[in-house]
Amino acid sequence: MAELAALLAEGTRAAVCLALLDGRAWTGGELARHCGVAPSTMSEHMKRLVDGGLLARERQGRHTYVRFADPEVARLVEDLAGRAAGPAAVTSRAGGLRAHSAGRAMARGRTCYDHLAGRLGVALTDAMTDRDLLRQDTGFALTEEGVAWLTGLGADLRLPSSRRPLARPCLDWTERRPHLAGTAGAELCRLVLARRWATRVGTGRAVRVTPLGVRELRAALGIEASALALDP
């Protein structure tokens, strides 16, 4: 535990892990620019994180990418971030108008590694529960209707070899309520983005519901636009 804490206690390595919560693989150069350090310094931090089992390297052509070693590492980092930041911290932390706007965008909707979080993620979870697609009273599980609904949208709900659960709750650190994670949460996120119901904001984790998404989410799940916090 002490060794794991030491890996995440250094500011640059913590920033690397937070960046990787967008679910995408990053190159060392991209992470160096993002964190404001020299490429050689980033290489040292990446090696420590890989050797510590938190990150995995992938080579593609001339480039080497890093990503979380598995979804459980991403879950750990997200949980630690939630512990470190109070519910208002995302919008109240000092840093000027740009930081304030970015924080509000993250609170409205974001990716939590490979599933949807923020007000969007919680709204989807609540709507699925209201329509008996998801059960929260006897654990956290898709119903038969929920499996059929997601499969009908094009979801692949076959469990991966890592025995990742089909559905599990993930406590949302801005909403302080659970959103859907697990294989079902990952597939729902993939479908929402693929169908352009929501799009990424810039290169970060924030996502924004599109006008098409407003119409489709209301038709499919009865989610009103007011529940999506669409204000700028």
Side-chain angles (χ1 to χ4, degrees):
M1 188 181 299
E3 292 175 357
L4 175 61
L7 282 175
L8 296 173
E10 199 281 330
T12 298
R13 291 195 292 273
V16 167
C17 290
L18 289 173
L20 291 173
L21 278 176
D22 69 359
R24 294 174 286 189
W26 290 53
T27 66
E30 290 169 337
L31 287 170
R33 289 190 294 273
H34 176 78
C35 297
V37 299
S40 58
T41 301
M42 180 54 64
S43 294
E44 294 175 6
H45 287 307
M46 287 168 51
K47 183 178 186 305
R48 289 199 60 179
L49 291 167
V50 170
D51 290 346
L54 296 182
L55 304 187
R57 281 195 174 97
E58 295 180 1
R59 181 173 292 278
Q60 185 173 358
R62 297 170 52 195
H63 300 288
T64 298
Y65 297 84
V66 291
R67 62 169 68 248
F68 285 125
D70 57 60
E72 289 306 308
V73 177
R75 179 181 180 183
L76 170 66
V77 173
E78 181 76 8
D79 287 346
L80 286 173
R83 289 284 183 180
V90 71
T91 57
S92 64
R93 185 170 297 162
L97 180 60
R98 182 176 180 181
H100 177 76
S101 298
R104 291 190 63 175
M106 288 272 285
R108 283 196 299 271
R110 64 184 182 278
T111 53
C112 175
Y113 186 54
D114 61 359
H115 56 272
L116 293 168
R119 193 164 183 183
L120 171 60
V122 171
L124 286 166
T125 301
D126 287 348
M128 290 179 66
T129 303
D130 290 342
R131 278 159 177 71
D132 295 324
L133 305 177
L134 179 70
R135 294 285 303 270
Q136 297 191 46
D137 56 343
T138 57
F140 208 87
L142 288 181
T143 63
E144 291 184 5
E145 292 82 2
V147 171
W149 179 71
L150 280 172
T151 302
L153 288 178
D156 180 0
L157 298 181
R158 292 173 294 181
L159 295 179
S161 57
S162 62
R163 296 184 180 178
R164 187 182 191 185
L166 179 59
R168 69 165 180 85
C170 182
L171 181 62
D172 198 288
W173 61 273
T174 51
E175 295 295 306
R176 296 300 182 187
R177 298 175 56 214
H179 58 248
L180 176 63
T183 298
E187 281 297 286
L188 179 60
C189 177
R190 181 184 68 81
L191 290 167
V192 165
L193 293 174
R195 289 171 172 258
R196 306 290 292 179
W197 293 358
T199 58
R200 293 187 182 272
V201 180
T203 59
R205 295 170 56 200
V207 298
R208 178 190 297 115
V209 178
T210 64
L212 172 64
V214 172
R215 295 193 298 271
E216 293 295 329
L217 290 174
R218 182 174 183 178
L221 293 171
I223 301 176
E224 298 295 337
S226 58
L228 300 175
L230 298 175
D231 56 297

